[in-house]
Amino acid sequence: MMARLRPSDSADLRDIVAAAAAAEEPLELIAGGTKRGLGRPPKGTPLDLSALAGIVDYQPHELILKTRPGTSVAEVEHLAAQKGQALAFEPPDLGVFYGGHSGKQTLGGVIASNQSGPRRVKAGAARDHLLGFSAINGRGESFKAGGNVVKNVTGYDLCKLITGSFGTLAALTEVRSEEHT
């Protein structure tokens, strides 16, 4: 088993990804580890993003939430419930079905896999509620996409591209999403 890399912040993550790219070594992005059994078996050195956790900004009146990718969905749901809000896309906790543990899923993992619950048809998928993000690409370069508000329409819609990519396009460092009342 390979040693697990665990960056402490986005600068550390950027350095790890750049070094892996220079050495042509693949990385396996994980945080809660609840989706490791989904799809084909991952290859590469495990890159543990669980230290990149925490709620950065929450504006309940604007329905905007900004978190780091390793933030647990349970923490987000608890915070939102205190204000009578919820994640509209209702991400199911499927950790036990894919070899992980229940209650360990992270918001970054939900976005990376575009997991949505039964209200997807009416309320939309996770990708429909992602307003913006910050990430590190496969060369170790930082970039941002989207915005902080729903009415952001400039440029390419990278939010739709990154959601559901399972970390193959970039490692998320910050997620900006829309809450639901």
Side-chain angles (χ1 to χ4, degrees):
M1 177 102 183
M2 295 177 239
R4 187 178 279 208
L5 302 171
R6 192 166 194 255
S8 58
D9 58 22
S10 58
D12 196 16
L13 174 61
R14 186 180 59 239
D15 294 342
I16 290 170
V17 173
E24 296 183 9
E25 292 291 329
L27 297 170
E28 175 197 0
L29 304 182
I30 58 171
T34 59
K35 293 161 200 65
R36 291 185 90 187
L38 181 61
R40 69 175 191 207
K43 296 179 180 172
T45 303
L47 179 57
D48 184 350
L49 302 178
S50 62
L52 301 177
I55 295 170
V56 176
D57 186 26
Y58 179 45
Q59 299 175 31
H61 293 91
E62 298 295 327
L63 302 176
I64 295 172
L65 174 70
K66 188 186 298 186
T67 70
R68 292 187 183 90
T71 307
S72 75
V73 171
E75 181 181 352
V76 170
E77 288 175 335
H78 177 73
L79 178 69
Q82 291 176 341
K83 297 292 183 178
Q85 298 175 341
L87 293 172
F89 49 93
E90 296 179 323
D93 187 353
L94 304 176
V96 295
F97 296 110
Y98 297 119
H101 300 285
S102 181
K104 300 284 186 185
Q105 71 177 346
T106 62
L107 193 56
V110 166
I111 296 298
S113 62
N114 194 29
Q115 278 194 319
S116 304
R119 291 185 56 223
R120 178 182 182 147
V121 174
K122 183 177 180 183
R127 65 184 254 140
D128 300 315
H129 297 277
L130 181 64
L131 299 174
F133 66 91
S134 298
I136 309 292
N137 69 14
R139 291 184 230 148
E141 302 165 333
S142 299
F143 71 100
K144 293 180 181 183
N148 292 325
V149 294
V150 176
K151 299 277 184 184
N152 182 28
V153 293
T154 59
Y156 295 110
D157 193 358
L158 295 181
C159 292
K160 299 289 190 274
L161 181 66
I162 206 80
T163 307
S165 68
F166 287 87
T168 59
L169 302 176
L172 296 171
T173 58
E174 191 174 273
V175 175
R176 294 179 293 282
S177 60
E178 174 184 37
E179 293 291 303
H180 188 271
T181 57

